[in-house]
Amino acid sequence: MNVYSEEGKGTKFKVYFPAQTSESLLEKAPVTQAGLPRGDGELILLVDDEEGIRQIAMKTLVRFGYRVMEAENGAEGVLLYVQNQKEVALVLTDVSMPIMDGAALIAALKSLNPEVRILVSSGLPTNSGVAKAMESGARFISKPYTAETLLRTIYKELHS
């Protein structure tokens, strides 16, 4: 369940239920010895202005079978997406960034490809940019996230 509230605009509740009741997607996922789902060479576009977050996320994703492209802001993210659109399986973006923020990036990507899979991250879940991103159909992952949360969320998004 996700709850989004913005002063003066109201509160939005989104409740997600599993599509199947027998085996979850994660039970079928190829896993490592640590029990974490692995990628199969899918290309992830990682857009975040904080170098430390990009580096940790990139190392985690590469270690667990993903390929990663990095961008420092939304404008770079759009450029990389345009150049590699057919290969990008998922975009993981921060909300608050200079030059072009996450909400503007998502709008640009959705205009290029309405089916693009997007995970939006923020340390401020009440941020208005998060609410805009969620309205566009992006899935939210709260910062700071663990490697386990990141890997499981990406696997679910790629296989839903």
Side-chain angles (χ1 to χ4, degrees), residues 45 74-85 105 109 112:
L45 173 55
E76 285 182 19
V78 170
L79 179 63
L80 285 173
Y81 185 80
V82 167
Q83 293 171 344
N84 300 279
Q85 181 175 352
L105 168 65
L109 296 180
L112 293 167

Side-chain angles (χ1 to χ4, degrees), residues 24 28 33 36 71 80 82 91:
S24 76
K28 296 179 187 176
Q33 287 181 331
L36 299 175
L80 285 173
V82 167
V91 177

Side-chain angles (χ1 to χ4, degrees), residues 1-17:
M1 181 166 102
N2 292 324
V3 179
Y4 306 97
S5 184
E6 206 168 330
E7 191 172 323
K9 293 192 176 186
T11 302
K12 186 183 225 179
F13 293 87
K14 286 191 176 182
V15 180
Y16 299 92
F17 295 100

Side-chain angles (χ1 to χ4, degrees), residues 14-145:
K14 286 191 176 182
V15 180
Y16 299 92
F17 295 100
Q20 63 187 102
T21 57
S22 58
E23 293 182 48
S24 76
L25 285 172
L26 290 175
E27 289 171 350
K28 296 179 187 176
V31 295
T32 63
Q33 287 181 331
L36 299 175
R38 289 190 55 82
D40 190 23
E42 296 96 333
L43 181 60
I44 308 294
L45 173 55
L46 174 61
V47 186
D48 199 305
D49 61 318
E50 294 183 52
E51 184 176 352
I53 291 174
R54 280 195 325 271
Q55 292 304 311
I56 290 170
M58 182 191 70
K59 287 177 182 178
T60 300
L61 293 170
V62 168
R63 185 176 200 184
F64 284 86
Y66 295 97
R67 296 178 297 134
V68 180
M69 288 188 310
E70 299 176 65
E72 292 182 16
N73 58 60
E76 285 182 19
V78 170
L79 179 63
L80 285 173
Y81 185 80
V82 167
Q83 293 171 344
N84 300 279
Q85 181 175 352
K86 292 182 181 179
E87 287 186 75
V88 174
L90 180 133
V91 177
L92 171 59
T93 183
D94 187 18
V95 172
S96 301
M97 296 181 289
I99 301 173
M100 176 187 254
D101 68 7
L105 168 65
I106 292 167
L109 296 180
K110 289 286 187 177
S111 72
L112 293 167
N113 176 8
E115 303 301 316
V116 63
R117 294 177 184 265
I118 300 173
L119 286 178
V120 63
S121 66
S122 175
L124 307 168
T126 58
N127 185 320
S128 65
V130 172
K132 288 179 191 173
M134 300 307 292
E135 288 172 6
S136 72
R139 187 176 290 210
F140 178 73
I141 182 171
S142 180
K143 283 183 182 176
Y145 44 75

